[in-house]
Amino acid sequence: MNELKMKVYQAAIASLKTKSELLSQERIKIIESILEEEKNSAGDKYETSREMITQDLNSLEKQIQQNKNDLEELYRLFSIKDTPTSVQEGALVKLGTDWFLIAVSVGKINTEGISVFLMSKNSPLGSLLIGKKKSDPVDFRGKTQRIEELF
């Protein structure tokens, strides 16, 4: 596996692990809020407040599950050691001057002084890149760029 690609994966995994820890801390705070609300029950106000906190907890649980799924997917793709001949899931691609990791949609990470955008193969640009080879042109949003690197 290319050294840059390995470092991108390691940075992405570290980023998701950090996010997981933050989400877990937030979950603890929300649960503590629910317990505190039970002590301070005051009729309708209590019910409304408890419902809002419960909705926050449900939303957070979905984020925790999505983060877990993203992390598992990154580990799966990281285990693929071969260099692809065309863009596929798990590939690190330099399109023009920008770097992209076709993996999970979690945004931008920085490693080795390079910004890399993590995106799904199902994203608009990801679906355009799938199957392309190094030096192939890619037309996206009225702009044509070439695939400069592929790992």
Side-chain angles (χ1 to χ4, degrees):
M1 177 181 283
N2 173 281
E3 186 177 337
L4 175 61
K5 184 176 178 180
M6 183 175 72
K7 289 184 179 190
V8 168
Y9 269 102
Q10 289 170 340
I13 288 168
S15 175
L16 283 178
K17 283 183 175 181
T18 299
K19 183 177 179 181
S20 180
E21 290 171 17
L22 293 172
L23 290 171
S24 292
Q25 291 171 4
E26 185 64 25
R27 183 177 184 268
I28 289 168
K29 288 178 186 174
I30 290 175
I31 290 170
E32 287 172 348
S33 293
I34 289 172
L35 295 174
E36 189 63 33
E37 280 296 317
E38 287 178 359
K39 292 179 190 174
N40 299 327
S41 61
D44 289 342
K45 183 178 178 185
Y46 163 76
E47 291 300 324
T48 302
S49 177
R50 182 170 174 92
E51 179 59 29
M52 289 173 57
I53 294 171
T54 301
Q55 287 176 6
D56 289 346
L57 182 60
N58 289 339
S59 174
L60 188 64
E61 292 291 348
K62 288 177 186 172
Q63 290 177 49
I64 290 170
Q65 186 59 48
Q66 182 62 51
N67 192 71
K68 180 182 175 195
N69 293 345
D70 289 346
L71 193 53
E72 287 174 0
E73 182 67 4
L74 275 180
Y75 278 125
R76 182 186 74 78
L77 294 171
F78 185 55
S79 69
I80 301 169
K81 301 295 182 192
D82 61 335
T83 300
T85 56
S86 64
V87 178
Q88 60 189 3
E89 208 175 14
L92 179 63
V93 181
K94 184 176 184 188
L95 181 63
T97 58
D98 296 320
W99 287 92
F100 300 93
L101 181 67
I102 313 299
V104 293
S105 294
V106 293
K108 182 172 76 168
I109 61 159
N110 295 303
T111 186
E112 298 292 303
I114 297 170
S115 293
V116 180
F117 298 91
L118 277 73
M119 66 180 167
S120 163
K121 67 178 182 175
N122 299 322
S123 67
L125 181 55
S127 61
L128 281 176
L129 290 173
I130 294 294
K132 300 279 187 183
K133 297 182 186 313
K134 188 174 177 180
S135 300
D136 282 355
V138 177
D139 296 319
F140 185 66
R141 295 186 178 160
K143 188 175 181 184
T144 301
Q145 295 183 347
R146 293 206 177 280
I147 296 176
E148 303 293 332
E149 298 287 343
L150 175 60
F151 302 112

